[in-house]
């Protein structure tokens, strides 16, 4: 690990970094803690490199591999992880048979859904909603243009194919 790298272990450290680098985002201590907790839960740590840039460090390797990572990307990946955990926990809960104790899974699911509310507010502050909206407008315009040329069935097929082929970063929300 680079001697100049600093791990963020407390939410205040992330908030202080934000004051210098990400002023436009509104985040409180609890929000920052959620981000740090999800990172830790997936074997990553947030830190800063010798230049003060935000990095995501994979602590599951011997060498602590670090990569520059934007706060938008941190929020996006945590939203994705939260969504996956909600789906997995819901599935687990549905698969339990009658009589089995569901209370711990229900508590976990409720907590994940509370995180989701906070994460959605953070996600709205990232660059991704604007990108998603621009893509939606582009797809809608293309659909309308093709509708008059090839008819509704072909237009719907082309739109569906276009949506499937378009890699949308930040599409979890």
């Amino acid at each position: 690990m680079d001697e100049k790298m600093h791990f963020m272990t407390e939410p205040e450290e992330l908030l202080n970094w934000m004051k210098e680098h990400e002023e436009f985002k509104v985040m409180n201590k609890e929000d920052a803690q959620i981000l740090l907790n999800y990172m830790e839960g997936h074997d990553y740590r947030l830190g800063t490199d010798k230049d003060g840039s935000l990095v995501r460090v994979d602590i599951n390797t011997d060498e602590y591999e670090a990569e520059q990572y934007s706060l938008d990307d941190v929020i996006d990946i945590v939203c994705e992880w939260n969504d996956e955990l909600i789906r997995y926990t819901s599935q687990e809960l549905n698969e339990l048979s009658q009589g089995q104790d569901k209370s711990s899974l229900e508590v976990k699911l409720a907590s994940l859904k509370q995180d989701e509310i906070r994460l959605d507010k953070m996600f709205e502050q990232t660059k991704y909603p604007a990108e998603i909206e621009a893509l939606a407008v582009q797809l809608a315009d293309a659909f309308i243009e093709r509708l008059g040329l090839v008819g509704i069935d072909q237009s719907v097929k082309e739109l569906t194919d276009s949506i499937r082929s378009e890699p949308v970063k930040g599409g979890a929300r």
Side-chain angles (χ1 to χ4, degrees):
M1 183 175 83
D2 184 351
E3 296 84 35
K4 305 272 190 219
M5 189 180 314
H6 170 74
F7 284 146
M8 294 179 186
T9 58
E10 299 296 325
E12 294 84 4
E13 293 173 295
L14 179 55
L15 294 172
N16 287 335
W17 179 87
M18 284 177 53
K19 284 179 186 172
E20 292 182 34
H21 299 91
E22 295 276 344
E23 291 180 16
F24 66 94
K25 288 191 176 54
V26 176
M27 187 179 298
N28 62 32
K29 184 177 173 182
E30 292 80 19
D31 296 336
Q33 187 65 61
I34 288 171
L35 297 177
L36 294 175
N37 288 347
Y38 274 82
M39 283 287 159
E40 183 177 335
H42 286 82
D43 293 327
Y44 292 101
R45 296 288 184 280
L46 292 180
T48 53
D49 63 14
K50 63 183 180 207
D51 300 322
S53 297
L54 190 65
V55 293
R56 182 178 82 163
V57 182
D58 184 347
I59 60 166
N60 209 21
T61 63
D62 291 336
E63 276 124 47
Y64 284 164
E65 296 175 21
E67 64 178 306
Q68 282 200 341
Y69 222 69
S70 73
L71 189 55
D72 284 353
D73 289 338
V74 170
I75 293 168
D76 181 54
I77 193 68
V78 170
C79 287
E80 287 182 34
W81 289 335
N82 173 263
D83 186 58
E84 289 169 5
L85 287 168
I86 287 172
R87 282 186 280 132
Y88 178 76
T89 304
S90 294
Q91 181 180 349
E92 262 189 309
L93 195 55
N94 290 335
E95 290 174 358
L96 285 180
S97 62
Q98 293 291 349
Q100 285 185 297
D101 185 21
K102 297 180 177 186
S103 61
S104 64
L105 284 176
E106 290 169 339
V107 168
K108 179 180 178 181
L109 185 59
S111 176
L112 290 168
K113 290 190 179 248
Q114 286 301 113
D115 287 351
E116 180 182 38
I117 292 167
R118 296 182 89 98
L119 289 167
D120 282 347
K121 290 177 184 172
M122 287 186 258
F123 184 80
E124 287 301 317
Q125 299 177 70
T126 68
K127 64 183 178 184
Y128 298 119
E131 290 179 5
I132 293 167
E133 185 175 333
L135 177 59
V137 168
Q138 179 184 357
L139 290 172
D141 288 346
F143 175 78
I144 291 168
E145 182 179 314
R146 295 292 293 161
L147 188 60
L149 299 173
V150 296
I152 192 159
D153 291 338
Q154 182 63 29
S155 295
V156 169
K157 181 186 180 321
E158 290 173 6
L159 176 63
T160 304
D161 292 345
S162 181
I163 291 170
R164 286 187 184 127
S165 69
E166 192 67 45
V168 177
K169 181 75 172 147
R173 302 278 33 115

